[in-house]
Amino acid sequence: MTQPDRTVVIRVGGEGGEGTITLGDIFTRIAAHAGLEVYSFRTYPSEIKGGQVLYQTRLGVQRVHSEGDEADVVVAMNERAWKECRGDLCRESALIYEASLEFPEHHGQRYPIPAEQIAQELDWARGKNFVLLGALLWFFRFEMEMAKAVVLRRMGRHEASLDHNLAAMREGYAYAREHYPEPFPYTLPLPDPDSCPERLILTGAEALALGALTAGCEFYAGYPITPATPVMEVLAKYLPQFGGTLVQAEDEIAAINMIIGASFAGKRALTATSGPGLSLMIEALGMASMTEIPIVLINVQRAGPSTGLPTKTSQGDLFLSLYGAHGDAPRFVLAPDSVKDCYYQMINAFSLAERFQMPVIVLCDQAMASRVESVPPPGELWNPQLKRLLPTEAELADDYRRYRNTETGISPMATPGTPNGMYLSESLEHNEYGYPDQSPEMHQLMMEKRARKVETARQMMVDWRMAARRWGHEGARFGVIGWGSTRGAVREAMDWLRAEGVEIEALYPHTMLPMPDKAMRDFISTKNAILAVDLNFSGQFERMVEHRYYKELDARDVRVASLRKEQGVPFKVREVYEAIKQLIAEGQGGGQ
């Protein structure tokens, strides 16, 4: 049991189609409404029905930073759930299970619940998951009225099944209360509602969508693709309420071209996709770069290649996002590292897109997009919201050149209908007026202009708050670098090491392009050895860092070790912990 850090890990397993994720998701939200901190993870097969589903949630009295490793409580809806979890349980784990099943090898505490029988007696065979949900509510001593309110909020639109599911939940609660009146060993103390800090219960997809709305997104076009579709679903609900427009396009190519058109017309525009969809968007992404039209694109990564593991998580699209283009097509790439950060980085994405008139890719992943997490309400924005540079009346009256070559690379962009602001926006190489010009000199000039915007942004972001996150023992000889959703596991592993007296420091850039060079070089300058954490097969971030900062690494003889994983699931805290311990034990890297 993980009581020293006052957290509990609950793992729910069952077959696709029997409500496993619904059980885990609603229980997580009930726990959050009860005042506990929550952090969840889900993994499921790509089939519509069948296959094994796992939902893991971690509850804590204090802030929780990962879904946890070993399970304290297993809710087994079928036999396979137990078999797949038994090698990953804490020593005194509790097993809550469908009573018709048998698990002779489990040596912890057992709590059989006749969920199927109760559901059948209610003439609601589909309600097995809600019977088990009711039992969980009793074990953790959550109030039924509060739980009912959460169910109504989440499932109120399903009127035909709502009363049946509530009845099943009540019966499961009553059965567990009658047969297991003793205290449950993993119950956490519930905070006083009057002293509870305010929390929002969000998924990463919801945070991305809310960040886009805060940033003033006015147009969304997208094509449904797992696991990015929830972003579109949230915006379909809220964007019209903010005066915006959402279009479900016929494919990804149409979607990105629609947002390019909307942005050309002066609207802040967004699309969301996953790896295969981003591949289809690459040509149009290059056109947005060439024509200097601001767009924002969310890439919710999934495991590839090809169709790959469409419902599993990965960080395998880093190279595609950074370099995917024919020819050099500058863009920005941001990487939020938490649900909360998804909100803020979306605001930064629109600021960068609008000010620098470039595409911005925001890299999320399946685990973070679907994760339910309790987060503080948004506070003051980290950085000012930047706007598109419009031509002045003097520029329009004199000699308006849409692609005027400037010191920063940014040139004023008129919107259609602006008097004297008409110009040609051409995907061919063009001159300052936008007219096609394929001379060697003009191509070189315009390539330098477009690239200059990236360097201008790099200098600006030196003063940006949270262009990179650095924490741990300042100046420690050993360091960890990573990006995106792996931060939670890294942070907890470092907490374990700090408790052992080990000095370690970490750096997580939020801007992958442009990289925060000053922050990276300052970090490298104090290190003897660095562990690069990548949730992909080839260690894409590690290779990127070694390529860009080879001079700094060679000057100090800094060894860069690699921790890679490509299994469709996140890192465990222990995997990171053991990799750091090995790095330190080897003690390689001379240092100066």
Side-chain angles (χ1 to χ4, degrees), residues 516-552:
D517 284 344
K518 184 179 185 303
M520 289 294 295
R521 289 177 175 132
D522 287 348
F523 185 79
I524 291 170
S525 70
T526 63
K527 300 295 174 278
N528 289 359
I530 294 172
L531 178 70
V533 180
D534 264 303
L535 199 65
N536 55 59
F537 182 77
S538 59
Q540 294 177 22
F541 182 58
E542 172 205 359
R543 291 162 67 185
M544 175 187 175
V545 169
E546 288 183 324
H547 177 265
R548 184 165 185 83
Y549 303 106
Y550 71 94
K551 292 182 180 179
E552 291 83 356

Side-chain angles (χ1 to χ4, degrees), residues 248-388:
Q248 180 174 318
E250 60 266 34
D251 56 35
E252 289 87 353
I253 298 173
I256 190 170
N257 281 288
M258 285 180 182
I259 68 168
I260 289 173
S263 181
F264 176 79
K267 302 296 183 182
R268 294 193 170 204
L270 169 69
T271 189
T273 189
S274 193
L278 179 58
S279 299
L280 292 171
M281 293 179 176
I282 290 298
E283 182 181 2
L285 191 76
M287 185 177 76
S289 184
M290 167 67 85
T291 55
E292 303 186 38
I293 295 176
I295 59 172
V296 178
L297 190 162
I298 298 169
N299 178 19
V300 183
Q301 300 165 96
R302 69 193 212 187
S306 187
T307 307
L309 305 176
T311 59
K312 310 296 183 182
T313 198
S314 173
Q315 290 183 326
D317 292 350
L318 180 58
F319 280 178
L320 174 63
S321 300
L322 293 171
Y323 312 123
H326 47 280
D328 293 295
R331 80 286 304 267
F332 298 127
V333 180
L334 307 186
D337 62 18
S338 67
V339 168
K340 175 184 175 181
D341 198 35
C342 284
Y343 173 81
Y344 287 103
Q345 295 306 332
M346 280 302 296
I347 299 170
N348 290 341
F350 275 96
S351 285
L352 290 170
E354 292 293 317
R355 174 56 58 89
F356 292 92
Q357 302 166 24
M358 287 177 63
V360 178
I361 298 174
V362 179
L363 282 174
C364 188
D365 59 53
Q366 181 270 337
M368 187 155 59
S370 63
R371 173 197 310 160
V372 177
E373 189 176 344
S374 48
V375 298
E380 181 182 349
L381 296 184
W382 290 345
N383 303 297
Q385 292 198 61
L386 306 178
K387 297 182 179 180
R388 192 176 303 192

Side-chain angles (χ1 to χ4, degrees), residues 209 212-213 217-224 228-250 255 258-259 262 267-272:
L213 293 171
C217 177
E218 300 168 276
F219 182 80
Y220 179 96
Y223 184 74
T229 303
V231 176
M232 182 164 65
E233 292 173 338
V234 176
L235 286 171
K237 181 178 180 181
Y238 294 113
L239 187 57
Q241 299 178 32
F242 287 79
T245 301
L246 183 141
V247 177
Q248 180 174 318
E250 60 266 34
M258 285 180 182
I259 68 168
K267 302 296 183 182
R268 294 193 170 204
L270 169 69
T271 189

Side-chain angles (χ1 to χ4, degrees), residues 114-130:
E116 290 184 356
Q117 178 184 335
I118 292 172
Q120 289 170 358
E121 290 173 354
L122 292 171
D123 197 23
W124 185 240
R126 291 165 50 190
K128 179 173 76 170
N129 60 334
F130 273 86

Side-chain angles (χ1 to χ4, degrees), residues 553-567:
L553 294 168
D554 288 349
R556 285 187 49 81
D557 192 23
V558 179
R559 172 178 174 254
V560 180
S562 179
L563 176 61
R564 310 173 186 178
K565 182 175 181 177
E566 181 64 270
Q567 299 176 3

